[in-house]
Amino acid sequence: ALPYDLAGVRVLISAGGTREALDPVRYLGNHSSGKQGYALARVAAQRGAAVTLVSGAVSEPGAPAAVDIVHVDSAVELSREMTARAADSDVIIMAAAVADFRPVGVADAKIKKGAEGPAPIELTTNPDILAGLVRARGADEIGASTVIVGFAAETGDADAGVLDHGRAKLRRKGCDLLVVNAVGEGRAFGTADNAGWLLHADGTETGLPYGSKTLMASRILDEVAALVPDR
Ligand code: C5P
């Protein structure tokens, strides 16, 4: 039986990929399936949490039971929806694959082919939502005890290289927990299984053995539950 250790804990999760519009019919996107974020939402709800899932584009997952879902397209929308709910959350998990850049402007009409070949796409930087949430906590805009979890999909041959990138990212983002996934070799994006490490801000590191995204969600939530202050 699942532990009921998240009873009454308000968990806000982002999942899926963002779509950055170019014109009314085109966008820049990524291959995030949303499976890991949806698995986290489903398992957290089963363990008693009050879950809100802010979902970008996903490929397969059905809506988890007993979870509030908000749908978004772009990183800016995702940022707005996460920020608006952050102060009313005990745990925030950024599992979404957020585009780092977006087109500077969205064309009103479908972009034409043009005689001179492809027109360049000018990009601008999206907000780093995770880093912004950590900053907001530091500025007392959200509760000081809010647990903030980030994800990192790292490519790299040697596991050591992946871990080093993860450690640097944890410091840079300032979150409490970073889930590090090795991408490639049939892992992470789009696949049913996942593997990696859980890095804590205090330096503790836990391996996440290869397994289903549901099992991975359970392991992540074990560590999250231990970080939530007693209620
Ligand atoms: O820097 P990188 O994109 O690898 O960081 C990944 C983590 O940061 C994920 O938790 C992702 O949801 C989050 N992120 C974000 N805003 C961005 C880019 C990434 O919150 N603009």
Side-chain angles (χ1 to χ4, degrees):
L2 284 167
Y4 205 68
D5 55 352
L6 292 171
V9 177
R10 299 164 301 173
V11 179
L12 177 65
I13 302 175
S14 71
T18 65
R19 290 178 168 181
E20 310 298 323
L22 279 161
D23 69 18
V25 296
R26 303 184 181 98
Y27 59 82
L28 303 177
N30 60 65
H31 288 295
S32 172
S33 67
K35 283 177 189 151
Q36 186 63 75
Y38 274 57
L40 280 161
R42 192 178 308 113
V43 176
Q46 287 166 351
R47 286 165 71 157
V51 181
T52 302
L53 178 61
V54 182
S55 177
V58 297
S59 50
E60 173 259 6
V67 168
D68 283 333
I69 300 202
V70 180
H71 292 278
V72 298
D73 277 314
S74 67
V76 167
E77 280 176 48
L78 177 58
S79 177
R80 193 190 306 132
E81 298 298 336
M82 294 301 284
T83 306
R85 290 170 175 78
D88 296 320
S89 305
D90 304 303
V91 174
I92 304 173
I93 304 178
M94 280 296 302
V98 186
D100 293 316
F101 308 107
R102 68 177 180 276
V104 165
V106 184
D108 293 333
K110 200 176 155 190
I111 299 165
K112 298 282 181 251
K113 278 189 200 73
E116 283 93 53
I121 297 172
E122 206 187 324
L123 299 175
T124 186
T125 303
N126 273 330
D128 188 321
I129 303 166
L130 178 59
L133 292 166
V134 170
R135 265 199 313 278
R137 183 178 60 179
D140 283 336
E141 290 158 15
I142 67 178
S145 62
T146 312
V147 177
I148 303 180
V149 183
F151 271 72
E154 302 289 350
T155 52
D157 306 333
D159 285 351
V162 172
L163 257 179
D164 284 343
H165 280 117
R167 290 179 184 125
K169 189 161 290 181
L170 176 67
R171 279 194 297 275
R172 204 162 59 239
K173 303 267 185 177
C175 51
D176 303 301
L177 259 185
L178 189 75
V179 184
V180 180
N181 287 319
V183 187
E185 308 147 49
R187 293 158 156 185
F189 275 36
T191 66
D193 290 339
N194 222 344
W197 296 267
L198 261 175
L199 309 184
H200 287 253
D202 70 3
T204 314
E205 300 181 350
T206 319
L208 289 170
Y210 196 74
S212 71
K213 289 187 178 180
T214 301
L215 181 60
M216 191 77 74
S218 297
R219 294 222 165 93
I220 294 165
L221 290 170
D222 288 345
E223 309 234 0
V224 166
L227 291 175
V228 176
D230 285 337
R231 286 144 282 132

